[in-house]
CSV table of all heavy atoms in Angstrom, one decimal:
chain,number,residue,atom,x,y,z
A,1,THR,N,-61.5,3.5,18.3
A,1,THR,CA,-60.7,2.9,19.4
A,1,THR,C,-61.3,1.5,19.6
A,1,THR,O,-62.4,1.2,19.3
A,1,THR,CB,-60.7,3.7,20.7
A,1,THR,OG1,-62.1,3.8,21.2
A,1,THR,CG2,-60.1,5.1,20.5
A,2,ILE,N,-60.4,0.7,20.3
A,2,ILE,CA,-60.9,-0.6,20.8
A,2,ILE,C,-60.5,-0.6,22.3
A,2,ILE,O,-59.7,0.3,22.7
A,2,ILE,CB,-60.1,-1.8,20.1
A,2,ILE,CG1,-58.6,-1.6,20.2
A,2,ILE,CG2,-60.6,-1.9,18.7
A,2,ILE,CD1,-57.8,-2.8,19.6
A,3,ARG,N,-61.0,-1.5,23.0
A,3,ARG,CA,-60.7,-1.6,24.5
A,3,ARG,C,-60.0,-3.0,24.6
A,3,ARG,O,-60.4,-4.0,24.2
A,3,ARG,CB,-61.9,-1.5,25.3
A,3,ARG,CG,-61.6,-1.6,26.8
A,3,ARG,CD,-62.8,-1.1,27.7
A,3,ARG,NE,-63.1,0.2,27.5
A,3,ARG,CZ,-62.4,1.3,28.0
A,3,ARG,NH1,-61.4,1.0,28.8
A,3,ARG,NH2,-62.8,2.5,27.8
A,4,VAL,N,-58.8,-2.9,25.3
A,4,VAL,CA,-58.0,-4.1,25.6
A,4,VAL,C,-58.0,-4.2,27.1
A,4,VAL,O,-57.3,-3.3,27.7
A,4,VAL,CB,-56.6,-4.1,25.0
A,4,VAL,CG1,-55.9,-5.4,25.4
A,4,VAL,CG2,-56.7,-4.0,23.5
A,5,ASN,N,-58.6,-5.2,27.7
A,5,ASN,CA,-58.8,-5.3,29.1
A,5,ASN,C,-59.4,-4.0,29.6
A,5,ASN,O,-60.5,-3.6,29.1
A,5,ASN,CB,-57.5,-5.6,29.8
A,5,ASN,CG,-57.1,-7.0,29.4
A,5,ASN,OD1,-57.8,-7.8,28.9
A,5,ASN,ND2,-55.8,-7.3,29.6
A,6,ASP,N,-58.8,-3.2,30.4
A,6,ASP,CA,-59.4,-1.9,30.9
A,6,ASP,C,-58.8,-0.7,30.2
A,6,ASP,O,-59.1,0.4,30.6
A,6,ASP,CB,-59.3,-1.8,32.4
A,6,ASP,CG,-60.1,-2.8,33.2
A,6,ASP,OD1,-61.2,-3.1,32.7
A,6,ASP,OD2,-59.6,-3.3,34.2
A,7,ASP,N,-58.1,-0.9,29.1
A,7,ASP,CA,-57.4,0.2,28.5
A,7,ASP,C,-57.9,0.4,27.1
A,7,ASP,O,-58.1,-0.5,26.3
A,7,ASP,CB,-55.9,0.0,28.4
A,7,ASP,CG,-55.2,-0.1,29.7
A,7,ASP,OD1,-55.6,0.7,30.6
A,7,ASP,OD2,-54.4,-1.0,29.9
A,8,GLN,N,-58.1,1.7,26.7
A,8,GLN,CA,-58.5,2.1,25.4
A,8,GLN,C,-57.3,2.3,24.5
A,8,GLN,O,-56.3,2.8,25.0
A,8,GLN,CB,-59.4,3.4,25.5
A,8,GLN,CG,-60.3,3.6,24.4
A,8,GLN,CD,-61.2,4.8,24.6
A,8,GLN,OE1,-60.8,5.8,25.2
A,8,GLN,NE2,-62.5,4.7,24.2
A,9,MET,N,-57.3,1.8,23.3
A,9,MET,CA,-56.2,2.0,22.4
A,9,MET,C,-56.7,2.3,21.0
A,9,MET,O,-57.8,1.9,20.7
A,9,MET,CB,-55.2,0.9,22.5
A,9,MET,CG,-55.7,-0.5,22.0
A,9,MET,SD,-54.5,-1.8,22.1
A,9,MET,CE,-53.2,-1.3,21.0
A,10,PRO,N,-55.9,2.9,20.2
A,10,PRO,CA,-56.4,3.2,18.8
A,10,PRO,C,-56.6,2.0,18.0
A,10,PRO,O,-55.9,1.0,18.1
A,10,PRO,CB,-55.2,4.0,18.2
A,10,PRO,CG,-54.4,4.4,19.3
A,10,PRO,CD,-54.6,3.5,20.4
A,11,TRP,N,-57.7,2.0,17.2
A,11,TRP,CA,-58.0,0.9,16.3
A,11,TRP,C,-57.4,1.3,15.0
A,11,TRP,O,-57.4,2.5,14.6
A,11,TRP,CB,-59.5,0.8,16.1
A,11,TRP,CG,-59.9,-0.1,15.0
A,11,TRP,CD1,-59.9,-1.5,15.0
A,11,TRP,CD2,-60.3,0.2,13.7
A,11,TRP,NE1,-60.3,-2.0,13.8
A,11,TRP,CE2,-60.6,-0.9,12.9
A,11,TRP,CE3,-60.5,1.4,13.0
A,11,TRP,CZ2,-61.0,-0.9,11.6
A,11,TRP,CZ3,-60.9,1.5,11.7
A,11,TRP,CH2,-61.2,0.3,11.0
A,12,GLN,N,-56.8,0.4,14.3
A,12,GLN,CA,-56.2,0.6,13.0
A,12,GLN,C,-56.9,-0.2,11.9
A,12,GLN,O,-57.1,-1.4,12.2
A,12,GLN,CB,-54.7,0.3,13.0
A,12,GLN,CG,-53.9,1.2,13.9
A,12,GLN,CD,-52.4,1.0,14.0
A,12,GLN,OE1,-51.9,0.2,13.3
A,12,GLN,NE2,-51.8,1.6,14.9
A,13,PRO,N,-57.3,0.3,10.8
A,13,PRO,CA,-57.9,-0.5,9.8
A,13,PRO,C,-57.1,-1.8,9.5
A,13,PRO,O,-55.9,-1.7,9.3
A,13,PRO,CB,-57.9,0.5,8.6
A,13,PRO,CG,-58.0,1.8,9.1
A,13,PRO,CD,-57.1,1.7,10.4
A,14,GLY,N,-57.8,-2.8,9.4
A,14,GLY,CA,-57.1,-4.1,9.1
A,14,GLY,C,-56.6,-4.8,10.3
A,14,GLY,O,-56.1,-5.9,10.2
A,15,ASP,N,-56.8,-4.3,11.5
A,15,ASP,CA,-56.3,-4.9,12.7
A,15,ASP,C,-56.9,-6.3,12.9
A,15,ASP,O,-58.1,-6.5,12.7
A,15,ASP,CB,-56.7,-4.1,14.0
A,15,ASP,CG,-55.7,-3.1,14.4
A,15,ASP,OD1,-54.5,-3.3,14.0
A,15,ASP,OD2,-56.0,-2.3,15.3
A,16,ARG,N,-56.1,-7.2,13.3
A,16,ARG,CA,-56.5,-8.6,13.7
A,16,ARG,C,-56.0,-8.7,15.1
A,16,ARG,O,-55.2,-7.9,15.6
A,16,ARG,CB,-55.7,-9.6,12.8
A,16,ARG,CG,-56.0,-9.5,11.3
A,16,ARG,CD,-57.3,-10.1,10.9
A,16,ARG,NE,-57.5,-10.1,9.5
A,16,ARG,CZ,-58.2,-9.2,8.8
A,16,ARG,NH1,-58.6,-8.2,9.4
A,16,ARG,NH2,-58.4,-9.4,7.5
A,17,ILE,N,-56.5,-9.7,15.8
A,17,ILE,CA,-56.1,-9.9,17.2
A,17,ILE,C,-54.6,-10.0,17.3
A,17,ILE,O,-54.0,-9.4,18.2
A,17,ILE,CB,-56.9,-11.1,17.8
A,17,ILE,CG1,-58.3,-10.8,18.0
A,17,ILE,CG2,-56.2,-11.5,19.2
A,17,ILE,CD1,-59.2,-12.0,18.4
A,18,ALA,N,-54.0,-10.8,16.4
A,18,ALA,CA,-52.5,-11.0,16.5
A,18,ALA,C,-51.8,-9.7,16.3
A,18,ALA,O,-50.8,-9.5,17.0
A,18,ALA,CB,-52.1,-11.9,15.3
A,19,ASP,N,-52.3,-8.7,15.5
A,19,ASP,CA,-51.7,-7.4,15.4
A,19,ASP,C,-51.7,-6.6,16.7
A,19,ASP,O,-50.7,-6.0,17.1
A,19,ASP,CB,-52.4,-6.6,14.4
A,19,ASP,CG,-52.4,-7.2,13.0
A,19,ASP,OD1,-51.4,-7.8,12.6
A,19,ASP,OD2,-53.4,-7.2,12.3
A,20,VAL,N,-52.8,-6.7,17.4
A,20,VAL,CA,-53.0,-6.0,18.6
A,20,VAL,C,-52.0,-6.6,19.7
A,20,VAL,O,-51.3,-5.8,20.5
A,20,VAL,CB,-54.4,-6.0,19.1
A,20,VAL,CG1,-54.6,-5.3,20.5
A,20,VAL,CG2,-55.3,-5.2,18.1
A,21,LEU,N,-51.9,-7.9,19.8
A,21,LEU,CA,-51.0,-8.5,20.7
A,21,LEU,C,-49.6,-8.1,20.4
A,21,LEU,O,-48.8,-7.8,21.3
A,21,LEU,CB,-51.2,-10.1,20.6
A,21,LEU,CG,-52.5,-10.6,21.1
A,21,LEU,CD1,-52.5,-12.1,20.9
A,21,LEU,CD2,-52.8,-10.3,22.5
A,22,LEU,N,-49.2,-8.1,19.2
A,22,LEU,CA,-47.9,-7.6,18.7
A,22,LEU,C,-47.6,-6.2,19.2
A,22,LEU,O,-46.5,-5.9,19.8
A,22,LEU,CB,-47.7,-7.7,17.3
A,22,LEU,CG,-46.3,-7.4,16.7
A,22,LEU,CD1,-45.3,-8.4,17.2
A,22,LEU,CD2,-46.4,-7.3,15.2
A,23,ARG,N,-48.5,-5.3,19.0
A,23,ARG,CA,-48.3,-3.9,19.5
A,23,ARG,C,-48.3,-3.8,21.0
A,23,ARG,O,-47.6,-3.0,21.5
A,23,ARG,CB,-49.5,-3.0,19.0
A,23,ARG,CG,-49.4,-2.7,17.5
A,23,ARG,CD,-50.2,-1.5,17.1
A,23,ARG,NE,-51.5,-1.4,17.6
A,23,ARG,CZ,-52.6,-1.8,16.9
A,23,ARG,NH1,-52.4,-2.4,15.7
A,23,ARG,NH2,-53.8,-1.7,17.3
A,24,LEU,N,-48.9,-4.7,21.7
A,24,LEU,CA,-48.9,-4.7,23.2
A,24,LEU,C,-47.6,-5.3,23.7
A,24,LEU,O,-47.3,-5.3,24.9
A,24,LEU,CB,-50.1,-5.5,23.7
A,24,LEU,CG,-51.4,-4.8,23.6
A,24,LEU,CD1,-52.5,-5.8,23.9
A,24,LEU,CD2,-51.5,-3.5,24.4
A,25,GLY,N,-46.9,-6.1,22.8
A,25,GLY,CA,-45.6,-6.7,23.2
A,25,GLY,C,-45.9,-8.0,24.1
A,25,GLY,O,-45.1,-8.5,24.9
A,26,VAL,N,-47.1,-8.6,23.8
A,26,VAL,CA,-47.6,-9.8,24.5
A,26,VAL,C,-47.1,-11.1,23.7
A,26,VAL,O,-47.3,-11.1,22.5
A,26,VAL,CB,-49.1,-9.8,24.6
A,26,VAL,CG1,-49.6,-11.1,25.2
A,26,VAL,CG2,-49.5,-8.6,25.5
A,27,GLU,N,-46.6,-12.0,24.4
A,27,GLU,CA,-46.2,-13.3,23.8
A,27,GLU,C,-47.4,-14.1,23.6
A,27,GLU,O,-48.1,-14.5,24.5
A,27,GLU,CB,-45.2,-14.0,24.7
A,27,GLU,CG,-44.8,-15.4,24.2
A,27,GLU,CD,-44.1,-15.3,22.8
A,27,GLU,OE1,-43.2,-14.4,22.6
A,27,GLU,OE2,-44.4,-16.1,21.9
A,28,PRO,N,-47.8,-14.3,22.3
A,28,PRO,CA,-49.1,-14.9,22.0
A,28,PRO,C,-49.3,-16.3,22.7
A,28,PRO,O,-50.4,-16.7,23.0
A,28,PRO,CB,-49.1,-15.0,20.5
A,28,PRO,CG,-48.2,-14.0,20.0
A,28,PRO,CD,-47.2,-13.9,21.1
A,29,SER,N,-48.3,-17.0,22.8
A,29,SER,CA,-48.4,-18.4,23.4
A,29,SER,C,-48.6,-18.3,24.9
A,29,SER,O,-49.0,-19.3,25.5
A,29,SER,CB,-47.1,-19.2,23.1
A,29,SER,OG,-46.0,-18.6,23.7
A,30,ASP,N,-48.5,-17.2,25.5
A,30,ASP,CA,-48.6,-17.0,27.0
A,30,ASP,C,-50.0,-16.6,27.4
A,30,ASP,O,-50.3,-16.5,28.6
A,30,ASP,CB,-47.6,-16.0,27.5
A,30,ASP,CG,-46.2,-16.5,27.5
A,30,ASP,OD1,-45.9,-17.7,27.3
A,30,ASP,OD2,-45.3,-15.7,27.7
A,31,VAL,N,-50.8,-16.2,26.5
A,31,VAL,CA,-52.1,-15.7,26.9
A,31,VAL,C,-53.3,-16.4,26.2
A,31,VAL,O,-53.1,-17.1,25.2
A,31,VAL,CB,-52.2,-14.2,26.5
A,31,VAL,CG1,-51.2,-13.4,27.3
A,31,VAL,CG2,-52.0,-13.9,25.1
A,32,THR,N,-54.5,-16.1,26.8
A,32,THR,CA,-55.7,-16.5,26.2
A,32,THR,C,-56.5,-15.3,25.8
A,32,THR,O,-56.3,-14.2,26.4
A,32,THR,CB,-56.6,-17.3,27.3
A,32,THR,OG1,-55.8,-18.5,27.7
A,32,THR,CG2,-57.9,-17.7,26.8
A,33,THR,N,-57.3,-15.3,24.8
A,33,THR,CA,-58.0,-14.1,24.3
A,33,THR,C,-59.5,-14.4,24.2
A,33,THR,O,-59.9,-15.5,23.8
A,33,THR,CB,-57.4,-13.6,22.9
A,33,THR,OG1,-57.5,-14.7,22.0
A,33,THR,CG2,-56.0,-13.2,23.1
A,34,ALA,N,-60.2,-13.3,24.4
A,34,ALA,CA,-61.7,-13.4,24.1
A,34,ALA,C,-62.0,-12.0,23.5
A,34,ALA,O,-61.5,-11.0,23.8
A,34,ALA,CB,-62.4,-13.5,25.4
A,35,LEU,N,-62.8,-12.1,22.4
A,35,LEU,CA,-63.3,-10.9,21.7
A,35,LEU,C,-64.7,-10.7,21.9
A,35,LEU,O,-65.5,-11.6,21.6
A,35,LEU,CB,-62.9,-11.0,20.2
A,35,LEU,CG,-63.3,-9.8,19.3
A,35,LEU,CD1,-62.5,-8.6,19.8
A,35,LEU,CD2,-63.0,-10.1,17.9
A,36,ASN,N,-65.1,-9.6,22.6
A,36,ASN,CA,-66.5,-9.3,22.9
A,36,ASN,C,-67.1,-10.5,23.7
A,36,ASN,O,-68.2,-10.8,23.5
A,36,ASN,CB,-67.3,-9.0,21.7
A,36,ASN,CG,-66.7,-7.8,20.9
A,36,ASN,OD1,-66.3,-6.8,21.6
A,36,ASN,ND2,-66.7,-7.8,19.6
A,37,GLY,N,-66.3,-11.0,24.6
A,37,GLY,CA,-66.8,-12.1,25.5
A,37,GLY,C,-66.7,-13.4,25.0
A,37,GLY,O,-67.1,-14.4,25.6
A,38,GLU,N,-66.3,-13.6,23.7
A,38,GLU,CA,-66.2,-15.0,23.1
A,38,GLU,C,-64.7,-15.4,22.9
A,38,GLU,O,-64.0,-14.7,22.4
A,38,GLU,CB,-66.9,-15.0,21.7
A,38,GLU,CG,-68.3,-14.6,21.7
A,38,GLU,CD,-69.2,-15.7,22.3
A,38,GLU,OE1,-68.8,-16.9,22.2
A,38,GLU,OE2,-70.1,-15.4,23.0
A,39,PHE,N,-64.4,-16.6,23.4
A,39,PHE,CA,-63.1,-17.2,23.4
A,39,PHE,C,-62.6,-17.2,21.9
A,39,PHE,O,-63.4,-17.6,21.0
A,39,PHE,CB,-63.1,-18.6,24.0
A,39,PHE,CG,-61.8,-19.3,23.7
A,39,PHE,CD1,-60.7,-19.0,24.4
A,39,PHE,CD2,-61.8,-20.4,22.8
A,39,PHE,CE1,-59.5,-19.7,24.2
A,39,PHE,CE2,-60.6,-21.1,22.6
A,39,PHE,CZ,-59.5,-20.7,23.3
A,40,VAL,N,-61.4,-16.8,21.7
A,40,VAL,CA,-60.8,-16.9,20.3
A,40,VAL,C,-59.6,-17.8,20.4
A,40,VAL,O,-58.6,-17.5,21.1
A,40,VAL,CB,-60.3,-15.5,19.7
A,40,VAL,CG1,-59.7,-15.7,18.4
A,40,VAL,CG2,-61.5,-14.6,19.7
A,41,PRO,N,-59.6,-19.0,19.8
A,41,PRO,CA,-58.5,-19.9,19.8
A,41,PRO,C,-57.2,-19.3,19.2
A,41,PRO,O,-57.3,-18.4,18.3
A,41,PRO,CB,-58.9,-21.1,19.0
A,41,PRO,CG,-60.4,-21.0,18.9
A,41,PRO,CD,-60.7,-19.5,19.0
A,42,ARG,N,-56.1,-19.6,19.7
A,42,ARG,CA,-54.8,-19.1,19.2
A,42,ARG,C,-54.7,-19.2,17.7
A,42,ARG,O,-54.2,-18.3,17.0
A,42,ARG,CB,-53.6,-19.9,19.9
A,42,ARG,CG,-52.3,-19.3,19.6
A,42,ARG,CD,-51.2,-20.1,20.3
A,42,ARG,NE,-51.5,-20.2,21.7
A,42,ARG,CZ,-51.0,-21.1,22.6
A,42,ARG,NH1,-50.2,-22.0,22.1
A,42,ARG,NH2,-51.3,-21.1,23.9
A,43,ALA,N,-55.1,-20.3,17.1
A,43,ALA,CA,-55.0,-20.5,15.7
A,43,ALA,C,-55.8,-19.5,14.8
A,43,ALA,O,-55.6,-19.3,13.7
A,43,ALA,CB,-55.4,-21.9,15.3
């Protein structure tokens, strides 16, 4: 599993941040992301 904000969700082999945002139905241009506390630029 991975944790997204306060929710646990299944991890899938090959997952990238963009894949997780897609599964969440989040518009990538509307959000900022950090992975393990480190900012990740949209690009």
Side-chain angles (χ1 to χ4, degrees):
T1 61
I2 57 174
R3 183 164 294 280
V4 179
N5 295 340
D6 291 325
D7 298 319
Q8 204 171 37
M9 67 182 292
W11 170 80
Q12 297 177 8
D15 265 350
R16 305 279 188 261
I17 291 175
D19 302 320
V20 174
L21 294 176
L22 182 66
R23 285 201 309 270
L24 292 170
V26 172
E27 178 60 46
S29 62
D30 289 347
V31 296
T32 299
T33 54
L35 182 60
N36 300 319
E38 296 292 323
F39 170 73
V40 179
R42 189 179 303 158

